[in-house]
Amino acid sequence: MSPEEPSVQDNYLSSQLTTQHYSTRKKTVDLAQFGLKKRTQTEISVGAQWKRAEKDAAKTEKLEASSAKIQRQKTGIERLKKLEAEKLREYTEDEWFSHGQDTATYEDAGPHESDPLSDSEESQPEGSQGGKDDDDEQSQSQQGSKGKQREKAKPLQLTAAEKRRVRAQELRESIAANNSRTPTPQLRRESSTKMKAKMMTGLLPDWHAKLQAGGPATNKLPAPQVNVPTSQGLIPTWKSRLQDPSTPFPTGFNGRTVNSKPRALQCSRAAKDSDNDVISRKGVVANPALTRQKQSVVDPDKSISTDVLPAWIKPFFWSEVMPTLRDIYGGLSDPWDLNQADSDFFLHALQRATDAACPDQHYEATKGDPVYRVAHQQMYEWQRDFMKATLKAVQEGVLEQCGKEASPGDIKQYVTATFAPDGEAYNGTPEGKIFAQAHLAGIQGSCCKDTVYPVGALALSMAAVQLSFCTFAQGKFVPGPGFSKVTAGILTLGYTSGSSFSQLLVKKSRFDGVVEAALAYVHVLKVHKKGNGLGLQPVQLMVYSSPPGSPTAK
DNA sequence: CACCCATGTATCTCGGGCTA
DNA sequence: TAGCCCGAGATACATGGGTG
């Protein structure tokens, strides 16, 4: 068709419209007739005003919801405080009775004088022997000035029970102090980040803290360090066991996780606005049973399918890159925030993971490239895995305990009892199982042999267990609010930043013990179907999981 | 020129098709 | 049937352009 020749469409339009070239200012055409009427400024301002009012109303509503949430949190913290104190009291009494009038006294002498509370557990063999280990230093630094005060106030010789009482008193004080730093709804990302930094100081450095500690402060974002320590001695015992199950369990492990937990702050998603929005904006009621259309062909430049991965990374993507990323994020205090407060954290983490897995490829990660997109998406899948595994476990548990014919009342009773502060839900088994399935099984092959503990992953497990029990709170399964930054973000931070985890992190053996218990549930390697289908060679895994620069890293 | 709307882009979350 | 996988849709923010 030549350019001069009018098309059929043109002919049709010219026959329909008397004036082809119209202007919005010289209204020679009744634009309304064609649905093209331009609105007057008055109309626009009326519309804008109306929209502003709507926005303000929504804002007010949001603020009200927010303050209500804070109030609920305060109540939760109060309850937690009581629980903590109660648990400690019980624990102290138990210890007292179990030791009877055993007058085990502690000779505080020399360098230990400043820390009269170093309890008997510390003297047990703990992997790294020889004087004071890291844990001692941590607890010492935490208790620092208070310890000195006590030196004056207390006699040098204390019984075990007395020491525990003092410690309990300290914990209560610390909880009271922490109360003012209660994680609040993430109104501002900044504040939560600062809070995280504060909370983690003195316990264990998380990845972000490590990155920031990389050098002098600059405006440039620090490159993440996927630390590959040269000394195996630095690797916590649990990680050694993950790589070699024959590694003996540490002594002094009781297989229980923390008992004190922040309460789930909201069991139901705060009326996700999207549903309402659909109604208010489009004026139609969203079809509750939307049928999904067949998958369409997606632009490879936008696809998050693993098919778009470059060939060179496919053999290592599931076996090393993803395990490394999961490992990194599992060690963060906020595993939900992939970019850790607006930095390019994910980009750097991906860069390091790929460098470690494929050192010869010299891949340069960029935002939005196929590897970035797919890995990014898979991190969300990792987060969801915690909830999926938990829901399944809880459903199985309910079925097992209540039977198929159970009435809603029976289920409700079981769930209430299990979910109670001292219920079975918190005996260390459920979250350990989830933690193992959703995380430990998924980090095998990780190139990150860092000493950071998987606090984030454990917190996700805890949060998932809590939210899962909510799904049976009515005596029957009611799909929950989902598992996301919105529904579980605060709860997760409540763990990693709260007192229950700091209790765990005070001593290496405690967290090691938690992970050791979970390792019992890692029966099989998590092998990705596609990854496996690509003919992954074990020998390649051995070669590429070696530290870069080591003799085997070629 | 300020204001406002429409559109574009990136990120996040969810649901359901597909497969073992 | 469970779990994997990935596209659809929601959300948040950025940008360009029309209007008075």
Side-chain angles (χ1 to χ4, degrees), chain A residues 154-211:
Chain A
K154 300 252 171 205
L156 286 180
Q157 290 196 345
L158 296 170
T159 65
E162 281 169 333
K163 290 185 176 189
R164 287 211 164 89
R165 270 203 199 113
V166 176
R167 183 174 279 185
Q169 180 58 37
E170 267 196 7
L171 182 72
R172 286 189 200 103
E173 285 168 14
S174 80
I175 291 171
N178 279 352
N179 201 7
S180 59
R181 290 181 285 175
T182 301
T184 50
Q186 290 171 300
L187 297 174
R188 290 182 68 84
R189 169 71 64 191
E190 224 177 53
S191 60
S192 78
T193 314
K194 281 180 190 164
M195 186 258 315
K196 272 186 279 177
K198 273 188 182 176
M199 289 298 195
M200 293 305 288
T201 308
L203 298 176
L204 262 183
D206 66 11
W207 271 90
H208 201 242
K210 282 200 161 184
L211 300 183

Side-chain angles (χ1 to χ4, degrees), chain A residues 21 73 75 178 232 269 295 327 334 355 368-369 381 436 473 478 487 494:
Chain A
H21 305 285
Q73 278 185 312
T75 317
N178 279 352
Q232 282 290 310
R269 180 171 43 169
Q295 286 189 350
D327 202 0
D334 185 359
D355 284 350
D369 73 33
E381 300 297 334
V478 178
T487 58

Side-chain angles (χ1 to χ4, degrees), chain A residues 153 159 178 226 240 244 263 299 325 405 420 427 444 453 481 488 532:
Chain A
T159 65
N178 279 352
V226 178
S240 313
D244 177 13
R263 309 292 301 172
D299 181 357
L325 284 172
E405 309 297 324
N427 69 1
Q444 291 172 82
Y453 284 103
N532 200 34

Side-chain angles (χ1 to χ4, degrees), chain A residues 516-538:
Chain A
E516 293 287 352
L519 280 173
Y521 296 102
V522 182
H523 302 305
V524 283
L525 282 164
K526 188 174 185 177
V527 180
H528 190 273
K529 284 176 191 170
K530 282 195 177 179
N532 200 34
L534 289 163
L536 210 56
Q537 296 300 311

Side-chain angles (χ1 to χ4, degrees), chain A residues 131-174:
Chain A
K132 298 170 84 64
D133 64 10
D134 300 341
D135 303 327
D136 290 330
E137 284 170 24
Q138 280 169 355
S139 53
Q140 202 176 12
S141 66
Q142 274 194 320
Q143 295 167 357
S145 60
K146 281 183 182 173
K148 282 177 188 164
Q149 287 170 5
R150 281 195 308 274
E151 254 181 45
K152 293 175 188 170
K154 300 252 171 205
L156 286 180
Q157 290 196 345
L158 296 170
T159 65
E162 281 169 333
K163 290 185 176 189
R164 287 211 164 89
R165 270 203 199 113
V166 176
R167 183 174 279 185
Q169 180 58 37
E170 267 196 7
L171 182 72
R172 286 189 200 103
E173 285 168 14
S174 80

Side-chain angles (χ1 to χ4, degrees), chain A residues 111-124:
Chain A
H112 288 276
E113 269 188 8
S114 60
D115 183 16
L117 299 181
S118 54
D119 68 22
S120 54
E121 211 179 326
E122 305 231 6
S123 61
Q124 289 174 358

Side-chain angles (χ1 to χ4, degrees), chain A residues 82-387:
Chain A
K82 279 181 193 165
L83 266 172
E84 291 274 5
E86 183 68 17
K87 288 273 175 200
L88 268 160
R89 193 181 57 74
E90 282 172 12
Y91 181 54
T92 308
E93 282 170 5
D94 284 353
E95 288 289 304
W96 177 262
F97 287 123
S98 67
H99 290 302
Q101 296 299 318
D102 188 10
T103 50
T105 55
Y106 289 73
E107 291 283 331
D108 295 276
H112 288 276
E113 269 188 8
S114 60
D115 183 16
L117 299 181
S118 54
D119 68 22
S120 54
E121 211 179 326
E122 305 231 6
S123 61
Q124 289 174 358
E126 238 186 69
S128 59
Q129 282 296 308
K132 298 170 84 64
D133 64 10
D134 300 341
D135 303 327
D136 290 330
E137 284 170 24
Q138 280 169 355
S139 53
Q140 202 176 12
S141 66
Q142 274 194 320
Q143 295 167 357
S145 60
K146 281 183 182 173
K148 282 177 188 164
Q149 287 170 5
R150 281 195 308 274
E151 254 181 45
K152 293 175 188 170
K154 300 252 171 205
L156 286 180
Q157 290 196 345
L158 296 170
T159 65
E162 281 169 333
K163 290 185 176 189
R164 287 211 164 89
R165 270 203 199 113
V166 176
R167 183 174 279 185
Q169 180 58 37
E170 267 196 7
L171 182 72
R172 286 189 200 103
E173 285 168 14
S174 80
I175 291 171
N178 279 352
N179 201 7
S180 59
R181 290 181 285 175
T182 301
T184 50
Q186 290 171 300
L187 297 174
R188 290 182 68 84
R189 169 71 64 191
E190 224 177 53
S191 60
S192 78
T193 314
K194 281 180 190 164
M195 186 258 315
K196 272 186 279 177
K198 273 188 182 176
M199 289 298 195
M200 293 305 288
T201 308
L203 298 176
L204 262 183
D206 66 11
W207 271 90
H208 201 242
K210 282 200 161 184
L211 300 183
Q212 303 301 343
T218 63
N219 287 336
K220 249 187 145 181
L221 286 164
Q225 297 158 12
V226 178
N227 294 347
V228 189
T230 50
S231 163
Q232 282 290 310
L234 290 175
I235 303 173
T237 320
W238 69 270
K239 209 149 189 178
S240 313
R241 270 188 56 75
L242 184 63
Q243 285 151 8
D244 177 13
S246 63
T247 308
F249 281 93
T251 52
F253 163 60
N254 64 7
R256 285 174 69 92
T257 67
V258 283
N259 282 326
S260 51
K261 324 162 73 67
R263 309 292 301 172
L265 296 171
Q266 49 179 148
C267 288
S268 61
R269 180 171 43 169
K272 197 174 174 185
D273 11 334
S274 61
D275 299 334
N276 297 332
D277 278 1
V278 171
I279 299 169
S280 63
R281 280 204 300 264
K282 298 180 181 171
V284 292
V285 178
N287 185 353
L290 289 170
T291 49
R292 190 189 154 127
Q293 294 180 345
K294 279 209 160 183
Q295 286 189 350
S296 57
V297 180
V298 172
D299 181 357
D301 290 340
K302 289 179 183 169
S303 174
I304 51 173
S305 163
T306 50
D307 293 341
V308 301
L309 286 172
W312 59 266
I313 206 174
K314 283 186 179 178
F316 313 105
F317 188 78
W318 299 107
S319 58
E320 292 177 55
V321 176
M322 283 315 299
T324 305
L325 284 172
R326 291 184 200 119
D327 202 0
I328 292 171
Y329 279 87
L332 293 172
S333 51
D334 185 359
W336 292 106
D337 189 2
L338 296 189
N339 270 329
Q340 299 294 298
D342 304 329
S343 72
D344 284 338
F345 188 91
F346 183 77
L347 192 68
H348 293 308
L350 176 64
Q351 182 69 65
R352 294 292 167 165
T354 46
D355 284 350
C358 314
D360 295 333
Q361 191 61 35
H362 305 301
Y363 157 73
E364 201 175 313
T366 52
K367 270 192 173 180
D369 73 33
V371 179
Y372 181 97
R373 288 198 308 270
V374 176
H376 204 249
Q377 174 62 21
Q378 290 307 315
M379 287 312 293
Y380 293 120
E381 300 297 334
W382 168 72
Q383 292 165 346
R384 292 179 71 195
D385 279 347
F386 285 88
M387 193 59 174

